[in-house]
Short mmCIF file of all heavy atoms in Angstrom, two decimals:
data_model
loop_
_atom_site.label_atom_id
_atom_site.label_comp_id
_atom_site.label_asym_id
_atom_site.label_seq_id
_atom_site.Cartn_x
_atom_site.Cartn_y
_atom_site.Cartn_z
N MET U 94 0.83 -1.17 0.00
CA MET U 94 0.00 0.00 0.00
C MET U 94 0.88 1.24 0.00
O MET U 94 1.78 1.35 0.82
CB MET U 94 -0.91 -0.01 1.24
CG MET U 94 -1.75 1.22 1.34
SD MET U 94 -2.85 1.41 2.79
CE MET U 94 -3.25 -0.20 3.32
N HIS U 95 0.64 2.13 -0.93
CA HIS U 95 1.38 3.38 -0.98
C HIS U 95 0.79 4.36 0.03
O HIS U 95 -0.42 4.35 0.26
CB HIS U 95 1.30 3.97 -2.39
CG HIS U 95 2.00 5.29 -2.51
ND1 HIS U 95 3.37 5.39 -2.50
CD2 HIS U 95 1.52 6.53 -2.60
CE1 HIS U 95 3.70 6.66 -2.60
NE2 HIS U 95 2.59 7.38 -2.66
N ASN U 96 1.64 5.17 0.63
CA ASN U 96 1.11 6.19 1.55
C ASN U 96 1.95 7.47 1.46
O ASN U 96 3.03 7.47 0.85
CB ASN U 96 1.05 5.66 2.98
CG ASN U 96 2.41 5.46 3.59
OD1 ASN U 96 3.11 6.42 3.90
ND2 ASN U 96 2.81 4.20 3.76
N HIS U 97 1.41 8.52 2.03
CA HIS U 97 2.06 9.84 2.00
C HIS U 97 2.52 10.27 3.39
O HIS U 97 2.67 11.47 3.64
CB HIS U 97 1.09 10.87 1.43
CG HIS U 97 0.61 10.56 0.06
ND1 HIS U 97 1.39 10.76 -1.06
CD2 HIS U 97 -0.54 9.98 -0.37
CE1 HIS U 97 0.71 10.35 -2.13
NE2 HIS U 97 -0.45 9.88 -1.75
N VAL U 98 2.73 9.32 4.27
CA VAL U 98 3.09 9.65 5.65
C VAL U 98 4.42 10.41 5.71
O VAL U 98 4.53 11.42 6.41
CB VAL U 98 3.14 8.38 6.54
CG1 VAL U 98 3.69 8.69 7.92
CG2 VAL U 98 1.75 7.76 6.63
N ARG U 99 5.41 9.96 4.97
CA ARG U 99 6.72 10.63 5.01
C ARG U 99 6.60 12.09 4.55
O ARG U 99 7.15 13.00 5.18
CB ARG U 99 7.73 9.90 4.13
CG ARG U 99 9.13 10.50 4.20
CD ARG U 99 10.08 9.75 3.29
NE ARG U 99 10.04 8.33 3.59
CZ ARG U 99 11.08 7.58 3.88
NH1 ARG U 99 12.27 8.11 3.87
NH2 ARG U 99 10.94 6.31 4.13
N GLU U 100 5.87 12.31 3.45
CA GLU U 100 5.71 13.68 2.95
C GLU U 100 4.97 14.56 3.96
O GLU U 100 5.37 15.71 4.21
CB GLU U 100 4.94 13.68 1.62
CG GLU U 100 5.67 12.97 0.49
CD GLU U 100 5.22 11.52 0.33
OE1 GLU U 100 5.08 10.81 1.35
OE2 GLU U 100 5.02 11.09 -0.82
N LEU U 101 3.90 14.02 4.55
CA LEU U 101 3.12 14.80 5.51
C LEU U 101 3.94 15.08 6.77
O LEU U 101 3.88 16.19 7.32
CB LEU U 101 1.83 14.05 5.86
CG LEU U 101 0.83 13.94 4.71
CD1 LEU U 101 -0.27 12.96 5.05
CD2 LEU U 101 0.25 15.31 4.38
N ARG U 102 4.70 14.09 7.20
CA ARG U 102 5.56 14.30 8.36
C ARG U 102 6.57 15.40 8.07
O ARG U 102 6.80 16.29 8.89
CB ARG U 102 6.28 12.98 8.71
CG ARG U 102 7.23 13.12 9.89
CD ARG U 102 7.84 11.78 10.25
NE ARG U 102 8.60 11.15 9.17
CZ ARG U 102 9.82 11.51 8.80
NH1 ARG U 102 10.44 12.49 9.42
NH2 ARG U 102 10.44 10.86 7.81
N GLY U 103 7.14 15.39 6.87
CA GLY U 103 8.10 16.41 6.47
C GLY U 103 7.48 17.80 6.43
O GLY U 103 8.11 18.78 6.84
N GLU U 104 6.23 17.88 5.94
CA GLU U 104 5.54 19.17 5.90
C GLU U 104 5.37 19.77 7.29
O GLU U 104 5.34 20.98 7.45
CB GLU U 104 4.16 19.00 5.25
CG GLU U 104 4.20 18.76 3.75
CD GLU U 104 2.83 18.47 3.17
OE1 GLU U 104 1.82 18.62 3.88
OE2 GLU U 104 2.77 18.07 1.99
N HIS U 105 5.24 18.89 8.28
CA HIS U 105 5.07 19.36 9.65
C HIS U 105 6.41 19.57 10.36
O HIS U 105 6.45 20.04 11.49
CB HIS U 105 4.22 18.36 10.45
CG HIS U 105 2.76 18.42 10.11
ND1 HIS U 105 2.24 17.86 8.97
CD2 HIS U 105 1.73 19.00 10.75
CE1 HIS U 105 0.94 18.08 8.94
NE2 HIS U 105 0.60 18.77 10.00
N GLY U 106 7.50 19.18 9.70
CA GLY U 106 8.82 19.35 10.30
C GLY U 106 9.08 18.40 11.45
O GLY U 106 9.88 18.70 12.34
N TRP U 107 8.41 17.25 11.42
CA TRP U 107 8.56 16.28 12.50
C TRP U 107 9.55 15.19 12.10
O TRP U 107 9.58 14.75 10.96
CB TRP U 107 7.24 15.61 12.83
CG TRP U 107 6.17 16.53 13.34
CD1 TRP U 107 6.35 17.75 13.95
CD2 TRP U 107 4.76 16.32 13.27
NE1 TRP U 107 5.13 18.29 14.26
CE2 TRP U 107 4.14 17.45 13.87
CE3 TRP U 107 3.95 15.31 12.77
CZ2 TRP U 107 2.76 17.57 13.98
CZ3 TRP U 107 2.58 15.44 12.88
CH2 TRP U 107 1.99 16.55 13.49
N SER U 108 10.32 14.74 13.06
CA SER U 108 11.16 13.55 12.86
C SER U 108 10.27 12.32 13.02
O SER U 108 9.12 12.42 13.48
CB SER U 108 12.28 13.52 13.91
OG SER U 108 11.73 13.30 15.19
N GLN U 109 10.81 11.17 12.66
CA GLN U 109 10.05 9.94 12.88
C GLN U 109 9.77 9.76 14.37
O GLN U 109 8.69 9.31 14.75
CB GLN U 109 10.83 8.73 12.35
CG GLN U 109 10.84 8.64 10.85
CD GLN U 109 11.54 7.39 10.34
OE1 GLN U 109 12.29 6.74 11.06
NE2 GLN U 109 11.31 7.07 9.07
N ALA U 110 10.73 10.14 15.21
CA ALA U 110 10.53 10.03 16.67
C ALA U 110 9.41 10.95 17.14
O ALA U 110 8.61 10.58 18.01
CB ALA U 110 11.83 10.33 17.39
N ASP U 111 9.35 12.17 16.57
CA ASP U 111 8.28 13.11 16.94
C ASP U 111 6.91 12.52 16.60
O ASP U 111 5.98 12.57 17.41
CB ASP U 111 8.42 14.44 16.18
CG ASP U 111 9.66 15.22 16.57
OD1 ASP U 111 10.14 15.07 17.70
OD2 ASP U 111 10.14 15.99 15.70
N LEU U 112 6.80 11.99 15.38
CA LEU U 112 5.51 11.41 14.96
C LEU U 112 5.17 10.19 15.80
O LEU U 112 4.02 10.01 16.21
CB LEU U 112 5.56 11.05 13.47
CG LEU U 112 4.28 10.44 12.90
CD1 LEU U 112 3.08 11.37 13.11
CD2 LEU U 112 4.46 10.13 11.41
N ALA U 113 6.17 9.37 16.07
CA ALA U 113 5.94 8.17 16.89
C ALA U 113 5.39 8.55 18.26
O ALA U 113 4.45 7.92 18.76
CB ALA U 113 7.23 7.39 17.03
N LYS U 114 5.96 9.59 18.85
CA LYS U 114 5.49 10.03 20.16
C LYS U 114 4.05 10.50 20.10
O LYS U 114 3.23 10.18 20.96
CB LYS U 114 6.40 11.16 20.68
CG LYS U 114 6.11 11.58 22.08
CD LYS U 114 7.13 12.58 22.58
CE LYS U 114 6.82 12.96 24.03
NZ LYS U 114 7.80 13.89 24.55
N ARG U 115 3.70 11.24 19.04
CA ARG U 115 2.32 11.73 18.89
C ARG U 115 1.33 10.59 18.67
O ARG U 115 0.16 10.70 19.03
CB ARG U 115 2.25 12.72 17.73
CG ARG U 115 2.86 14.07 18.04
CD ARG U 115 2.89 14.97 16.82
NE ARG U 115 3.14 16.34 17.14
CZ ARG U 115 4.35 16.85 17.37
NH1 ARG U 115 5.42 16.08 17.29
NH2 ARG U 115 4.49 18.12 17.68
N LEU U 116 1.81 9.52 18.06
CA LEU U 116 0.94 8.37 17.77
C LEU U 116 0.99 7.30 18.86
O LEU U 116 0.24 6.33 18.81
CB LEU U 116 1.36 7.73 16.44
CG LEU U 116 1.17 8.59 15.19
CD1 LEU U 116 1.83 7.91 13.99
CD2 LEU U 116 -0.31 8.84 14.92
N ASP U 117 1.92 7.47 19.80
CA ASP U 117 2.12 6.48 20.86
C ASP U 117 2.52 5.11 20.29
O ASP U 117 1.98 4.08 20.66
CB ASP U 117 0.87 6.36 21.74
CG ASP U 117 1.16 5.68 23.07
OD1 ASP U 117 2.31 5.77 23.54
OD2 ASP U 117 0.24 5.06 23.63
N VAL U 118 3.43 5.17 19.32
CA VAL U 118 4.01 3.96 18.73
C VAL U 118 5.53 4.13 18.71
O VAL U 118 6.04 5.19 19.04
CB VAL U 118 3.49 3.69 17.29
CG1 VAL U 118 1.99 3.49 17.29
CG2 VAL U 118 3.89 4.80 16.34
N SER U 119 6.25 3.10 18.30
CA SER U 119 7.71 3.21 18.23
C SER U 119 8.14 3.91 16.94
O SER U 119 7.39 3.96 15.96
CB SER U 119 8.34 1.82 18.29
OG SER U 119 8.07 1.12 17.08
N ARG U 120 9.35 4.46 16.96
CA ARG U 120 9.90 5.08 15.76
C ARG U 120 10.03 4.03 14.65
O ARG U 120 9.82 4.31 13.48
CB ARG U 120 11.28 5.70 16.05
CG ARG U 120 11.84 6.49 14.87
CD ARG U 120 13.33 6.74 15.00
NE ARG U 120 14.10 5.52 15.07
CZ ARG U 120 14.38 4.72 14.02
NH1 ARG U 120 13.93 5.02 12.83
NH2 ARG U 120 15.09 3.62 14.19
N GLN U 121 10.33 2.80 15.03
CA GLN U 121 10.44 1.72 14.06
C GLN U 121 9.10 1.47 13.36
O GLN U 121 9.07 1.15 12.17
CB GLN U 121 10.93 0.44 14.74
CG GLN U 121 12.38 0.49 15.18
CD GLN U 121 12.60 1.21 16.51
OE1 GLN U 121 11.65 1.61 17.18
NE2 GLN U 121 13.86 1.40 16.90
N THR U 122 8.00 1.63 14.09
CA THR U 122 6.68 1.47 13.47
C THR U 122 6.45 2.55 12.43
O THR U 122 5.98 2.28 11.31
CB THR U 122 5.57 1.51 14.55
OG1 THR U 122 5.75 0.41 15.43
CG2 THR U 122 4.19 1.45 13.92
N VAL U 123 6.80 3.79 12.76
CA VAL U 123 6.65 4.89 11.79
C VAL U 123 7.50 4.61 10.56
O VAL U 123 7.04 4.77 9.43
CB VAL U 123 7.03 6.25 12.44
CG1 VAL U 123 7.10 7.35 11.38
CG2 VAL U 123 6.05 6.61 13.53
N ASN U 124 8.73 4.17 10.79
CA ASN U 124 9.62 3.85 9.66
C ASN U 124 9.01 2.74 8.81
O ASN U 124 9.03 2.83 7.57
CB ASN U 124 10.99 3.45 10.19
CG ASN U 124 11.95 3.12 9.06
OD1 ASN U 124 12.02 1.98 8.61
ND2 ASN U 124 12.66 4.14 8.58
N ALA U 125 8.47 1.71 9.43
CA ALA U 125 7.89 0.59 8.67
C ALA U 125 6.67 1.04 7.87
O ALA U 125 6.46 0.60 6.73
CB ALA U 125 7.51 -0.53 9.63
N ILE U 126 5.87 1.95 8.43
CA ILE U 126 4.71 2.48 7.69
C ILE U 126 5.20 3.28 6.49
O ILE U 126 4.71 3.12 5.37
CB ILE U 126 3.82 3.34 8.61
CG1 ILE U 126 3.14 2.47 9.67
CG2 ILE U 126 2.77 4.10 7.79
CD1 ILE U 126 2.45 3.25 10.77
N GLU U 127 6.17 4.16 6.73
CA GLU U 127 6.66 5.03 5.65
C GLU U 127 7.28 4.23 4.50
O GLU U 127 7.18 4.62 3.35
CB GLU U 127 7.70 6.01 6.19
CG GLU U 127 7.09 7.10 7.05
CD GLU U 127 8.11 8.13 7.50
OE1 GLU U 127 9.32 7.98 7.22
OE2 GLU U 127 7.69 9.10 8.14
N THR U 128 7.94 3.14 4.83
CA THR U 128 8.60 2.36 3.79
C THR U 128 7.69 1.27 3.20
O THR U 128 8.12 0.52 2.33
CB THR U 128 9.89 1.70 4.34
OG1 THR U 128 9.56 0.89 5.47
CG2 THR U 128 10.92 2.76 4.71
N GLY U 129 6.46 1.22 3.68
CA GLY U 129 5.49 0.27 3.13
C GLY U 129 5.67 -1.16 3.62
O GLY U 129 5.08 -2.08 3.08
N ARG U 130 6.50 -1.35 4.64
CA ARG U 130 6.70 -2.69 5.19
C ARG U 130 5.62 -3.08 6.18
O ARG U 130 5.51 -4.22 6.58
CB ARG U 130 8.08 -2.79 5.86
CG ARG U 130 9.23 -2.76 4.88
CD ARG U 130 10.59 -2.93 5.55
NE ARG U 130 10.94 -1.72 6.29
CZ ARG U 130 11.08 -1.65 7.61
NH1 ARG U 130 10.93 -2.71 8.35
NH2 ARG U 130 11.38 -0.52 8.20
N TYR U 131 4.82 -2.10 6.59
CA TYR U 131 3.78 -2.36 7.59
C TYR U 131 2.57 -1.50 7.26
O TYR U 131 2.69 -0.30 7.05
CB TYR U 131 4.32 -1.99 8.98
CG TYR U 131 3.30 -2.03 10.09
CD1 TYR U 131 2.78 -3.23 10.57
CD2 TYR U 131 2.84 -0.85 10.67
CE1 TYR U 131 1.85 -3.25 11.59
CE2 TYR U 131 1.91 -0.86 11.70
CZ TYR U 131 1.43 -2.06 12.15
OH TYR U 131 0.50 -2.09 13.15
N ASP U 132 1.41 -2.14 7.19
CA ASP U 132 0.15 -1.41 7.01
C ASP U 132 -0.43 -1.18 8.39
O ASP U 132 -0.64 -2.13 9.15
CB ASP U 132 -0.83 -2.21 6.15
CG ASP U 132 -0.39 -2.32 4.71
OD1 ASP U 132 0.35 -1.43 4.24
OD2 ASP U 132 -0.77 -3.30 4.05
N PRO U 133 -0.74 0.08 8.72
CA PRO U 133 -1.24 0.36 10.06
C PRO U 133 -2.63 -0.22 10.29
O PRO U 133 -3.38 -0.43 9.34
CB PRO U 133 -1.27 1.89 10.10
CG PRO U 133 -1.44 2.29 8.69
CD PRO U 133 -0.68 1.28 7.88
N SER U 134 -2.94 -0.45 11.55
CA SER U 134 -4.29 -0.88 11.91
C SER U 134 -5.25 0.26 11.58
O SER U 134 -4.83 1.42 11.40
CB SER U 134 -4.34 -1.19 13.41
OG SER U 134 -4.13 0.00 14.15
N LEU U 135 -6.52 -0.05 11.53
CA LEU U 135 -7.52 0.98 11.24
C LEU U 135 -7.50 2.08 12.31
O LEU U 135 -7.50 3.27 11.95
CB LEU U 135 -8.90 0.35 11.10
CG LEU U 135 -9.99 1.25 10.54
CD1 LEU U 135 -9.59 1.85 9.20
CD2 LEU U 135 -11.29 0.47 10.40
N PRO U 136 -7.44 1.74 13.60
CA PRO U 136 -7.35 2.81 14.61
C PRO U 136 -6.12 3.69 14.42
O PRO U 136 -6.19 4.92 14.58
CB PRO U 136 -7.30 2.05 15.94
CG PRO U 136 -7.99 0.76 15.66
CD PRO U 136 -7.61 0.42 14.25
N LEU U 137 -4.98 3.09 14.06
CA LEU U 137 -3.77 3.89 13.85
C LEU U 137 -3.91 4.74 12.60
O LEU U 137 -3.47 5.90 12.57
CB LEU U 137 -2.54 2.98 13.76
CG LEU U 137 -1.19 3.67 13.62
CD1 LEU U 137 -0.96 4.71 14.72
CD2 LEU U 137 -0.07 2.64 13.61
N ALA U 138 -4.54 4.23 11.57
CA ALA U 138 -4.77 5.02 10.35
C ALA U 138 -5.66 6.22 10.66
O ALA U 138 -5.42 7.34 10.17
CB ALA U 138 -5.39 4.14 9.26
N PHE U 139 -6.69 6.02 11.47
CA PHE U 139 -7.55 7.14 11.87
C PHE U 139 -6.77 8.16 12.69
O PHE U 139 -6.97 9.37 12.55
CB PHE U 139 -8.76 6.63 12.66
CG PHE U 139 -9.93 6.24 11.80
CD1 PHE U 139 -10.25 4.91 11.60
CD2 PHE U 139 -10.70 7.21 11.18
CE1 PHE U 139 -11.33 4.54 10.80
CE2 PHE U 139 -11.79 6.86 10.38
CZ PHE U 139 -12.10 5.52 10.19
N LYS U 140 -5.88 7.67 13.54
CA LYS U 140 -5.06 8.57 14.35
C LYS U 140 -4.17 9.44 13.46
O LYS U 140 -4.03 10.64 13.68
CB LYS U 140 -4.19 7.72 15.29
CG LYS U 140 -4.12 8.20 16.70
CD LYS U 140 -3.42 7.14 17.55
CE LYS U 140 -3.13 7.69 18.92
NZ LYS U 140 -2.49 6.70 19.79
N LEU U 141 -3.58 8.81 12.44
CA LEU U 141 -2.75 9.55 11.49
C LEU U 141 -3.58 10.59 10.75
O LEU U 141 -3.16 11.74 10.59
CB LEU U 141 -2.11 8.58 10.49
CG LEU U 141 -0.86 7.85 10.96
CD1 LEU U 141 -0.60 6.61 10.11
CD2 LEU U 141 0.34 8.78 10.92
N ALA U 142 -4.76 10.20 10.31
CA ALA U 142 -5.63 11.13 9.58
C ALA U 142 -6.00 12.32 10.45
O ALA U 142 -5.96 13.47 9.99
CB ALA U 142 -6.87 10.38 9.10
N LYS U 143 -6.34 12.06 11.68
CA LYS U 143 -6.71 13.15 12.60
C LYS U 143 -5.52 14.06 12.86
O LYS U 143 -5.65 15.28 12.85
CB LYS U 143 -7.24 12.56 13.91
CG LYS U 143 -7.74 13.61 14.87
CD LYS U 143 -8.36 12.97 16.10
CE LYS U 143 -8.87 14.07 17.05
NZ LYS U 143 -9.45 13.50 18.25
N LEU U 144 -4.36 13.46 13.07
CA LEU U 144 -3.15 14.23 13.35
C LEU U 144 -2.78 15.14 12.19
O LEU U 144 -2.41 16.29 12.38
CB LEU U 144 -2.01 13.25 13.66
CG LEU U 144 -0.73 13.82 14.24
CD1 LEU U 144 -0.99 14.48 15.59
CD2 LEU U 144 0.28 12.70 14.42
N PHE U 145 -2.91 14.62 10.97
CA PHE U 145 -2.56 15.42 9.79
C PHE U 145 -3.74 16.25 9.28
O PHE U 145 -3.57 17.04 8.35
CB PHE U 145 -2.04 14.52 8.67
CG PHE U 145 -0.69 13.91 8.95
CD1 PHE U 145 -0.47 12.56 8.78
CD2 PHE U 145 0.38 14.71 9.36
CE1 PHE U 145 0.77 11.99 9.02
CE2 PHE U 145 1.63 14.15 9.62
CZ PHE U 145 1.82 12.79 9.45
N GLY U 146 -4.94 16.05 9.84
CA GLY U 146 -6.11 16.82 9.42
C GLY U 146 -6.55 16.51 8.01
O GLY U 146 -7.00 17.40 7.28
N ARG U 147 -6.41 15.24 7.63
CA ARG U 147 -6.76 14.82 6.27
C ARG U 147 -7.58 13.54 6.32
O ARG U 147 -7.46 12.76 7.27
CB ARG U 147 -5.50 14.54 5.45
CG ARG U 147 -4.70 15.76 5.18
CD ARG U 147 -3.42 15.39 4.48
NE ARG U 147 -2.67 16.58 4.17
CZ ARG U 147 -2.31 16.92 2.95
NH1 ARG U 147 -2.61 16.17 1.94
NH2 ARG U 147 -1.63 18.02 2.75
N PRO U 148 -8.38 13.28 5.28
CA PRO U 148 -9.09 12.01 5.22
C PRO U 148 -8.11 10.85 5.00
O PRO U 148 -7.05 11.03 4.38
CB PRO U 148 -10.02 12.15 4.02
CG PRO U 148 -9.76 13.46 3.40
CD PRO U 148 -8.69 14.17 4.18
N ILE U 149 -8.45 9.70 5.53
CA ILE U 149 -7.58 8.52 5.40
C ILE U 149 -7.21 8.25 3.95
O ILE U 149 -6.06 7.97 3.64
CB ILE U 149 -8.25 7.28 6.03
CG1 ILE U 149 -8.27 7.41 7.55
CG2 ILE U 149 -7.53 6.00 5.63
CD1 ILE U 149 -8.99 6.28 8.26
N GLU U 150 -8.20 8.38 3.05
CA GLU U 150 -7.94 8.06 1.65
C GLU U 150 -6.97 9.02 0.98
O GLU U 150 -6.43 8.71 -0.08
CB GLU U 150 -9.25 7.95 0.86
CG GLU U 150 -10.07 9.21 0.82
CD GLU U 150 -11.07 9.31 1.97
OE1 GLU U 150 -10.87 8.65 3.01
OE2 GLU U 150 -12.04 10.06 1.82
N SER U 151 -6.72 10.17 1.58
CA SER U 151 -5.72 11.08 1.01
C SER U 151 -4.32 10.75 1.53
O SER U 151 -3.33 11.25 1.02
CB SER U 151 -6.07 12.55 1.32
OG SER U 151 -5.77 12.87 2.66
N ILE U 152 -4.25 9.89 2.54
CA ILE U 152 -2.94 9.48 3.10
C ILE U 152 -2.53 8.10 2.57
O ILE U 152 -1.38 7.88 2.25
CB ILE U 152 -3.01 9.47 4.64
CG1 ILE U 152 -3.35 10.86 5.17
CG2 ILE U 152 -1.68 8.98 5.22
CD1 ILE U 152 -3.62 10.91 6.66
N PHE U 153 -3.51 7.20 2.47
CA PHE U 153 -3.23 5.83 2.04
C PHE U 153 -3.93 5.52 0.74
O PHE U 153 -5.09 5.87 0.56
CB PHE U 153 -3.69 4.83 3.12
CG PHE U 153 -2.98 5.01 4.42
CD1 PHE U 153 -3.56 5.76 5.43
CD2 PHE U 153 -1.74 4.46 4.63
CE1 PHE U 153 -2.90 5.95 6.64
CE2 PHE U 153 -1.08 4.64 5.83
CZ PHE U 153 -1.65 5.38 6.84
N ASP U 154 -3.21 4.86 -0.15
CA ASP U 154 -3.75 4.47 -1.44
C ASP U 154 -3.66 2.95 -1.56
O ASP U 154 -2.60 2.41 -1.89
CB ASP U 154 -2.97 5.14 -2.56
CG ASP U 154 -3.49 4.77 -3.93
OD1 ASP U 154 -4.53 4.08 -4.02
OD2 ASP U 154 -2.85 5.15 -4.92
N PRO U 155 -4.76 2.26 -1.27
CA PRO U 155 -4.71 0.80 -1.31
C PRO U 155 -4.58 0.23 -2.72
O PRO U 155 -4.24 -0.94 -2.88
CB PRO U 155 -6.03 0.37 -0.67
CG PRO U 155 -6.94 1.52 -0.93
CD PRO U 155 -6.07 2.75 -0.92
N GLY U 156 -4.80 1.07 -3.73
CA GLY U 156 -4.78 0.59 -5.11
C GLY U 156 -3.41 0.47 -5.72
O GLY U 156 -3.26 -0.04 -6.81
N SER U 157 -2.39 0.96 -5.02
CA SER U 157 -1.05 0.87 -5.58
C SER U 157 -0.10 0.42 -4.50
O SER U 157 -0.37 0.51 -3.32
CB SER U 157 -0.61 2.23 -6.12
OG SER U 157 -0.53 3.16 -5.06
N SER U 158 1.03 -0.06 -4.92
CA SER U 158 2.06 -0.45 -3.97
C SER U 158 3.39 0.12 -4.40
O SER U 158 3.59 0.45 -5.56
CB SER U 158 2.16 -1.96 -3.85
OG SER U 158 2.50 -2.50 -5.09
N THR U 159 4.31 0.24 -3.44
CA THR U 159 5.64 0.75 -3.77
C THR U 159 6.69 -0.22 -3.37
O THR U 159 6.51 -1.08 -2.62
CB THR U 159 5.92 2.08 -3.03
OG1 THR U 159 5.71 1.91 -1.63
CG2 THR U 159 5.07 3.18 -3.57
#
């Protein structure tokens, strides 16, 4: 699944550790999401959407992979 987490994190000027703290997950989890090695749970996807102020479908694209 392709996602825009890295770009959105960069727009906010947050490190992976900053985002991990805001999501209450490990930095490794953020890295795995950004690199497409891990698809977040639905609650975590909603948390990301709320944090970035965007709909889930604008962050995650299930129709493509990287």
